[in-house]
Amino acid sequence: MQNALIAGILVSIACGVIGSLIVINKMTFIAGGVAHGAYGGIGIAFFLGASPLFGAAGFAVAIGLLIAFISGQNRDRIDSVIGAIWAFGMAIGIIFVDLSPGYNADLMSYLFGSILAVSNEDLVFMGILDIVFVIFALLFYTQICAFCFDSEFAKLRGVNVSFLYYLMSALIALCVVSTIRVVGLILVIALLSIPPYIAEKFSPNLATMMILSAILSAVFISFGLMLSYYFDLTSGAAIIAVATVVFFVVEFFKKRG
């Protein structure tokens, strides 16, 4: 339980920083393709007897950079490309799991999340990534704002838009991997998009949006974890259910207002 609470805080920071960039830049589908494609890395890692977390990280970053390259060349058909990569990653993962000797029940936690099974190794991985995300946001904040709200203007001001896009794609991939252990790759997109979407409605700038999104993520994870503990529910599903209910409540009152 202690590891679960720490993991919730660490993932909240990641969701606040990177999730906000996903929502602002309308990259939710890209993040979804990376999340499901990362299953290929998990399957390969199981087959080789390596750490599934690091296998997913390597595979996800490769997919993220591939999607960034293809979308940079032709954005018109990017949805079809992402769909193909999505399916390919899942297929490769399933094939390698089938080829792996025996059956590892821990595999299910990567699909549906198991925050109570988070290890110390996972916490270290999440903590390192959070440091990377925060440093990225602090160092490139001005360039990020210019890129997010007007990429053409950012290019005219001397911002290396291509480099920033590739870097963001790689960090999104790593953020997806760090979040998988909490809610699973099937539900990861909801956690990366719902808190930032809600935060955006109450934020005057990107920095405030990131902070508020991190706070909302922490609240959703903590409350969902509490529900899963008392009612013996799957933690990932409980967390997303809480986030979704708040999402619809905010939408309802915003429209009435």
Side-chain angles (χ1 to χ4, degrees), residues 103-237:
Y103 173 76
N104 196 320
D106 188 52
L107 184 64
M108 300 302 292
S109 68
Y110 291 94
L111 287 173
F112 302 103
S114 182
I115 193 171
L116 294 175
V118 170
S119 65
N120 291 331
E121 180 189 61
D122 295 332
L123 293 179
V124 171
F125 181 77
M126 294 174 185
I128 292 173
L129 288 184
D130 278 349
I131 293 172
V132 172
F133 297 151
V134 171
I135 291 175
F136 167 73
L138 292 174
L139 289 180
F140 295 96
Y141 182 75
T142 303
Q143 294 93 320
I144 291 171
C145 289
F147 173 81
C148 290
F149 298 105
D150 193 338
S151 60
E152 292 300 322
F153 172 76
K155 190 180 296 184
L156 292 174
R157 292 298 300 268
V159 177
N160 192 334
V161 173
S162 297
F163 169 76
L164 199 58
Y165 185 59
Y166 277 100
L167 182 57
M168 282 175 51
S169 298
L171 293 180
I172 287 172
L174 291 173
C175 181
V176 165
V177 173
S178 71
T179 312
I180 282 175
R181 281 299 262 165
V182 176
V183 294
L185 62 85
I186 293 177
L187 301 173
V188 67
I189 297 309
L191 190 60
L192 287 173
S193 58
I194 292 177
Y197 181 83
I198 297 173
E200 184 182 20
K201 296 181 177 296
F202 303 96
S203 304
N205 53 57
L206 182 59
T208 305
M209 178 180 172
M210 288 179 174
I211 295 171
L212 183 56
S213 175
I215 294 172
L216 287 172
S217 298
V219 172
F220 296 156
I221 291 172
S222 299
F223 196 65
L225 185 60
M226 184 176 65
L227 288 178
S228 69
Y229 176 78
Y230 283 109
F231 296 99
D232 194 24
L233 305 172
T234 302
S235 57

Side-chain angles (χ1 to χ4, degrees), residues 38-47 52-53 55-56 59 93 97 107 110 180 185:
Y39 191 69
I42 294 173
I44 293 172
F46 266 104
F47 178 75
L53 195 63
F59 210 77
V97 168
L107 184 64
Y110 291 94
I180 282 175
L185 62 85

